[in-house]
Amino acid sequence: MQLFLSGETFRYECENLCRLFFPYSPVKVEEPGAPLVEGPRAFASIEKEDGPYHYRVEVTDGEKTLVREDFSPDLQEYTMTNLLYRSFVELTGTTPAWGMLTGIHPVKLLRQYVEERGEEAGTAYFQEHCHVSAPKADLALRVLRAQTPAVEALGENDCSLYVSIPFCPTRCAYCSFVSQDVEHAKKLVEPYFSLLLVELEKTAQVIQGLGLSLISVYIGGGTPTTLSAGQLSALCGKIRQEFDLSRCGEFTVEAGRPDTITQEKLEALREAGITRISINPQSLSDQVLRNIGRRHTVQDVEDAFALARRLGFQNINADLIVGLPGDSVEGFQHSLEGVLQMGASNVTVHSLALKRSARLNAPGGDLSLHSKSQETAAMMDYSIARLTQAGMEPYYLYRQTRMAGNLENTGWSFPGGECRYNIYTMDESNSVIACGAGAVSKLKDPYSGRLERIFNFKNPYEYITRSQEILDRKDGVTRLYEQFRQRLR
């Protein structure tokens, strides 16, 4: 897709709206007068005349063309994006359920409106101003209500710890994360693990020196259970040894892939005091699992759940994905019923998001799912109705680009079983200090709402070879917190 911009336009926002309506047509931003190519195009311009600003949009899908205009006394992002959004709706005949929202954190935006206007008026403004459908506005409000007690309980020095294990048994066909399949990265695992323990030591020193209080720990990936039972025991033991966990209410390990879960590993996690794990089938169809490159079977999922329950794990999350290639509404319904019967206390329902680097987007990949937005929406609608019926509430929600059906990812739990780490990281309401390859520390200024990020190297090999730089970056956490506190004085 070509996007032509002229004048004081809002490039980032206009690009995202193009992707919203044409998610699988790469957006190329052009200067006016550039050669036209086949396919959809959009022209957006803002000109300052003697009086108001003149906003003009022209959109075409190659057959139909629309021209729309607006005027405003001020230069406003919303005037431009609203005009472009409404033009795309008219051109395509498609009204996205989340309206013109393209950001990751819609509930965070709703929280802002509710704090400014009150719940009823804020929700109405969220729906009308952003063109959000009534069902999605209601879903966002339910999430906001569920997570508010956890957010309001935060202290200014509270923080969370994230630990990345960037290895998986195999790489899923839809995956774009920087993770390594263990078959090709065996030589990296041991040096990576050793250096991760060193980074954890440094991080504990930083947290202690700043007087921060750790309230949640999350070990994710990748697939943390690609580590051996001994490594899992050593990792969890290192965290308990180095950090003060006296106020830490939850310790999650994303066990993830059922084909990596063994009794020895689960016993190691139980003995380490892990309070929450994940067993993530994605689907309970063996054919769909084969389609996405998973080696485990439905029987493996059932066996892993039964083993975890027998060993005493009560808080178990299960991930499912709507929109997987080869799946159907009936197939997804079967998967959801299955994980509920197995005893999942948390269910996270993801919409398939195909990034450009995913194998399904490669030549020969299965892109037929791109046209199944109605079927995908039906799967998601079923999950909302069924999980509500089961007594669960949605407690965190986020969105990604190129999601099937332009939908959302939502975490559900029974009351009292919410994962506070998930709430905090999606609401961006407290600092998350992260260790490991691909990890991003997000530091929240408790006095201004400002959020600062410190990135670790993404690739495990680079993490290993440049480990001293990783340790040096942890000193940046101290410097930023000193800046936060300096402004308070």
Side-chain angles (χ1 to χ4, degrees):
M1 171 168 203
Q2 289 180 290
L3 171 62
F4 295 84
L5 300 176
S6 176
E8 297 291 333
T9 44
F10 298 90
R11 172 173 174 159
Y12 176 79
E13 293 78 9
C14 290
E15 277 189 80
N16 280 340
L17 282 175
C18 290
R19 293 190 182 98
L20 177 61
F21 286 90
F22 302 94
Y24 305 108
S25 177
V27 179
K28 185 176 182 182
V29 179
E30 306 273 27
E31 293 291 331
L36 303 181
V37 298
E38 263 189 67
R41 294 187 297 275
F43 301 82
S45 66
I46 304 176
E47 296 179 1
K48 182 68 170 74
E49 302 182 344
D50 293 339
Y53 285 91
H54 178 205
Y55 297 76
R56 184 181 184 277
V57 162
E58 179 181 330
V59 294
T60 180
D61 58 7
E63 297 180 1
K64 181 181 178 182
T65 300
L66 295 174
V67 177
R68 297 292 180 265
E69 297 177 297
D70 201 351
F71 296 87
S72 172
D74 302 308
L75 183 63
Q76 296 179 338
E77 172 193 323
Y78 183 78
T79 304
M80 181 78 262
T81 54
N82 187 47
L83 184 63
L84 185 58
Y85 171 81
R86 289 189 288 107
S87 299
F88 277 140
V89 168
E90 189 175 351
L91 176 73
T92 64
T94 300
T95 304
W98 284 98
M100 65 194 301
L101 295 182
T102 60
I104 297 173
H105 308 288
V107 179
K108 186 179 178 183
L109 180 62
L110 175 60
R111 179 185 298 281
Q112 174 188 326
Y113 292 157
V114 167
E115 289 176 349
E116 292 171 351
R117 296 170 168 82
E119 184 179 282
E120 184 176 351
T123 305
Y125 184 77
F126 175 75
Q127 184 177 340
E128 295 164 10
H129 184 74
C130 303
H131 304 285
V132 177
S133 69
K136 296 306 180 188
D138 178 67
L139 179 64
L141 180 59
R142 291 176 66 185
V143 172
L144 178 62
R145 288 170 174 168
Q147 65 181 213
T148 293
V151 173
E152 291 183 344
L154 284 170
E156 65 181 43
N157 290 319
D158 288 346
C159 70
S160 298
L161 174 69
Y162 177 81
V163 182
S164 169
I165 308 297
F167 303 103
C168 283
T170 59
R171 188 180 178 96
C172 295
Y174 55 77
C175 183
S176 65
F177 290 118
V178 181
S179 59
Q180 304 283 312
D181 67 87
V182 170
E183 290 181 0
H184 295 91
K186 285 182 180 178
K187 294 181 179 179
L188 297 179
V189 176
E190 189 56 46
Y192 175 87
F193 184 75
S194 298
L195 291 168
L196 178 62
L197 298 184
V198 175
E199 187 186 3
L200 284 167
E201 289 180 9
K202 173 71 172 183
T203 302
Q205 294 168 8
V206 168
I207 287 178
Q208 182 179 11
L210 290 169
L212 302 181
S213 183
L214 199 60
I215 57 173
S216 68
V217 177
Y218 194 104
I219 301 177
T223 305
T225 41
T226 53
L227 298 178
S228 68
Q231 288 170 326
L232 287 169
S233 180
L235 175 60
C236 296
K238 186 68 171 178
I239 292 171
R240 290 197 174 278
Q241 172 188 329
E242 298 293 336
F243 295 84
D244 178 3
L245 301 185
S246 59
R247 292 193 61 236
C248 184
E250 62 180 26
F251 196 142
T252 296
V253 174
E254 199 174 85
R257 301 274 283 264
D259 47 334
T260 66
I261 295 173
T262 66
Q263 180 167 336
E264 188 181 16
K265 292 178 184 180
L266 288 182
E267 286 175 343
L269 296 180
R270 182 190 62 187
E271 291 166 8
I274 302 307
T275 60
R276 181 178 181 273
I277 63 171
S278 295
I279 300 173
N280 298 334
Q282 316 302 11
S283 171
L284 292 183
S285 161
D286 284 333
Q287 182 58 58
V288 172
L289 291 174
R290 286 191 290 270
N291 292 347
I292 62 175
R294 288 269 178 141
R295 290 184 177 174
H296 69 80
T297 64
V298 174
Q299 188 62 54
D300 292 331
V301 179
E302 294 173 353
D303 292 345
F305 258 95
L307 176 61
R309 302 279 292 183
R310 188 167 70 249
L311 292 176
F313 288 96
Q314 299 297 317
N315 199 352
I316 306 173
N317 175 75
D319 279 9
L320 295 174
I321 301 179
V322 302
L324 290 173
D327 207 357
S328 64
V329 175
E330 294 75 17
F332 174 77
Q333 291 173 352
H334 170 75
S335 297
L336 183 55
E337 294 298 329
V339 297
L340 289 174
Q341 290 172 13
M342 290 177 208
S345 59
N346 283 211
V347 178
T348 307
V349 182
H350 296 268
S351 298
L352 179 64
L354 282 186
K355 305 299 185 183
R356 278 192 288 267
S357 60
R359 196 163 75 245
L360 284 175
N361 259 341
D366 181 4
L367 299 184
S368 61
L369 53 93
H370 293 177
S371 61
K372 296 182 178 179
S373 59
Q374 290 185 338
E375 188 176 35
T376 303
M379 296 178 188
M380 186 62 77
D381 289 344
Y382 177 82
S383 75
I384 295 171
R386 182 65 183 92
L387 292 170
T388 299
Q389 181 188 49
M392 290 188 176
E393 280 295 320
Y395 73 96
Y396 81 102
L397 182 153
Y398 67 102
R399 304 182 67 236
Q400 296 167 270
T401 58
R402 300 182 180 88
M403 297 184 82
N406 188 41
L407 295 170
E408 67 278 342
N409 303 323
T410 308
W412 296 75
S413 76
F414 293 111
E418 301 86 358
C419 175
R420 291 200 167 198
Y421 170 84
N422 285 334
I423 291 174
Y424 299 147
T425 192
M426 290 306 158
D427 188 67
E428 296 181 329
S429 49
N430 89 329
S431 290
V432 175
I433 302 176
C435 297
V440 181
S441 295
K442 299 178 182 179
L443 307 180
K444 174 71 176 293
D445 181 351
Y447 315 113
S448 72
R450 170 185 167 201
L451 194 73
E452 296 285 350
R453 291 174 171 83
I454 298 176
F455 296 84
N456 279 8
F457 297 118
K458 289 184 177 182
N459 188 280
Y461 177 78
E462 194 173 16
Y463 177 89
I464 293 166
T465 57
R466 302 174 68 179
S467 59
Q468 186 57 50
E469 292 178 59
I470 295 289
L471 299 181
D472 293 341
R473 291 182 186 189
K474 284 293 178 286
D475 291 326
V477 175
T478 300
R479 288 192 294 271
L480 282 169
Y481 260 91
E482 288 174 348
Q483 291 177 20
F484 295 160
R485 290 165 177 171
Q486 183 66 37
R487 285 196 300 275
L488 181 65
R489 302 189 193 105

